[in-house]
Amino acid sequence: MIICKLISEVRQIVKEQRANGKSIALVPTMGFLHQGHLTLVEEAKKSGAFVVMSIFVNPLQFGPNEDFARYPRDLERDAQKAAGAGVDVIFNPEVEEMYPTKNLTYVEVGELGDSLCGASRPGHFRGVTTVVSKLFHCVQPDQAYFGQKDYQQYLIVRQMVQDLNFPIEVIAVPIVREEDGLALSSRNVYLTPEQRKEALVLQRSLTEAEEWVRQGERSAQVITEQIKAKITSETSGEVDYVEIRSADDLSALTILQGRVLIALAVRFGSTRLIDNKVLEGL
Ligand code: AMP
């Protein structure tokens, strides 16, 4: 496995692989790898593609009071895990390589980025779409893999690819969880042991909501209120949002119908965790 720090290096390698008839898969990450990231790689490997994983903590997608500086980084550990999963190239540019001058050009996906995580993290999705566009131009993949853990991000990237005619197939991979149900996240390392236990309420409340729906509840307001009440009564977690939306385009729903996304974000101390569930065929 090769580690590239320069855009010119990764471009050269990809060019050679393409000349050999390989298709190219990109797995964009911010590193501090866990099985969620590695599952994206495993999916990419199944297609027989040459797999490029980017590891880049993108300053553009962090707000001024967010965790850019303290975001966990460990390239050596990441390289071992990535190699074990079959990554062919890690693209790990420095911030100066990606943003050599003040960035003046942005990619923005309108209203899809305004709600849910976009409402509590202004500018976040503009940072994501801008860096993902740049990574797409640097690597020029045929496929790009994204986790449904960040469901809104997946929809936004899919929309961007369609709107801007990137010749790239965007592939979504289901959420990977710990044995006890907590969605894997690089940010889980911030949790104290007590918060780690409390954080199980995210998955628990989504599973319960699914059960309420199975028993016939269809009111988005009733379900979101019940989830919020559960989180605040059972834990010290502070609800950032609990929302029920169309899983196709994030449009607001009062009655659950069709493909439905239940998404939530909860703060435990200074750590903000997200989780979601998609219910099909309502
Ligand atoms: P990150 O490094 O957190 O930016 O995540 C990089 C990619 O891995 C994104 O497409 C995420 O959605 C995906 N990812 C992160 N955690 C998980 C998880 N628990 N299950 C599936 N995909 C994940």
Side-chain angles (χ1 to χ4, degrees):
M1 189 185 69
I2 303 165
I3 300 180
C4 297
K5 304 294 278 184
L6 301 179
I7 296 165
S8 56
E9 287 176 285
V10 75
R11 280 212 171 120
Q12 184 57 33
I13 292 170
V14 164
K15 195 171 158 187
E16 286 162 14
Q17 292 298 326
R18 204 184 289 291
N20 289 338
K22 277 281 195 184
S23 74
I24 312 298
L26 174 64
V27 178
T29 81
M30 297 202 299
F32 212 66
L33 302 180
H34 52 64
Q35 188 54 44
H37 300 114
L38 301 181
T39 302
L40 302 184
V41 173
E42 286 157 17
E43 285 305 309
K45 293 297 286 182
K46 278 185 201 162
S47 73
F50 183 81
V51 178
V52 180
M53 170 185 273
S54 59
I55 297 183
F56 181 60
V57 185
N58 172 36
L60 226 55
Q61 71 192 68
F62 288 79
N65 299 316
E66 293 186 350
D67 56 345
F68 174 70
R70 71 166 182 145
Y71 195 85
R73 295 160 168 91
D74 189 340
L75 184 62
E76 211 172 296
R77 173 178 171 276
D78 285 351
Q80 274 181 12
K81 289 190 178 223
V87 167
D88 295 296
V89 171
I90 290 180
F91 176 46
N92 175 230
E94 297 299 327
V95 171
E96 295 72 28
E97 175 72 358
M98 290 299 275
Y99 302 108
T101 55
K102 184 176 182 313
N103 200 69
L104 296 176
T105 307
Y106 294 90
V107 179
E108 216 161 343
V109 179
E111 62 204 36
L112 272 185
D114 294 340
S115 61
L116 307 176
C117 288
S120 39
R121 304 185 68 188
H124 168 67
F125 286 117
R126 185 175 85 148
V128 169
T129 40
T130 301
V131 80
V132 170
S133 303
K134 287 167 71 72
L135 291 169
F136 283 177
H137 287 304
C138 295
V139 177
Q140 301 186 357
D142 301 287
Q143 299 98 25
Y145 288 78
F146 289 85
Q148 289 191 23
K149 155 106 187 324
D150 301 274
Y151 192 86
Q152 184 176 19
Q153 170 174 279
Y154 155 65
L155 281 192
I156 286 174
V157 170
R158 196 179 69 173
Q159 182 76 35
M160 176 186 84
V161 160
Q162 185 184 316
D163 289 347
L164 297 183
N165 305 95
F166 281 95
I168 296 172
E169 186 186 358
V170 177
I171 296 161
V173 177
I175 300 176
V176 180
R177 298 178 179 280
E178 300 276 10
E179 248 174 49
D180 62 7
L182 182 67
L184 290 172
S185 165
S186 307
R187 289 191 168 97
N188 291 349
V189 293
Y190 298 151
L191 298 169
T192 65
E194 187 53 34
Q195 290 170 338
R196 171 66 184 76
K197 279 185 217 146
E198 290 196 324
L200 294 177
V201 79
L202 275 77
Q203 144 88 345
R204 218 168 47 233
S205 54
L206 288 168
T207 308
E208 269 188 38
E210 185 176 26
E211 181 59 22
W212 300 328
V213 174
R214 212 180 57 77
Q215 288 171 9
E217 182 58 66
R218 289 293 182 273
S219 161
Q221 195 185 352
V222 167
I223 296 169
T224 52
E225 289 308 321
Q226 282 183 190
I227 293 176
K228 285 181 198 169
K230 184 177 170 66
I231 293 168
T232 42
S233 68
E234 292 181 13
T235 71
S236 65
E238 244 179 77
V239 174
D240 180 358
Y241 67 75
V242 176
E243 297 238 21
I244 294 185
R245 301 267 175 153
S246 157
D248 296 324
D249 59 9
L250 300 186
S251 56
L253 292 177
T254 46
I255 298 296
L256 276 68
Q257 213 172 18
R259 287 185 72 241
V260 171
L261 171 72
I262 309 179
L264 44 82
V266 181
R267 277 177 211 285
F268 293 92
S270 59
T271 306
R272 184 175 170 282
L273 300 180
I274 59 172
D275 203 343
N276 70 78
K277 189 176 267 295
V278 175
L279 306 179
E280 310 266 352
L282 298 180

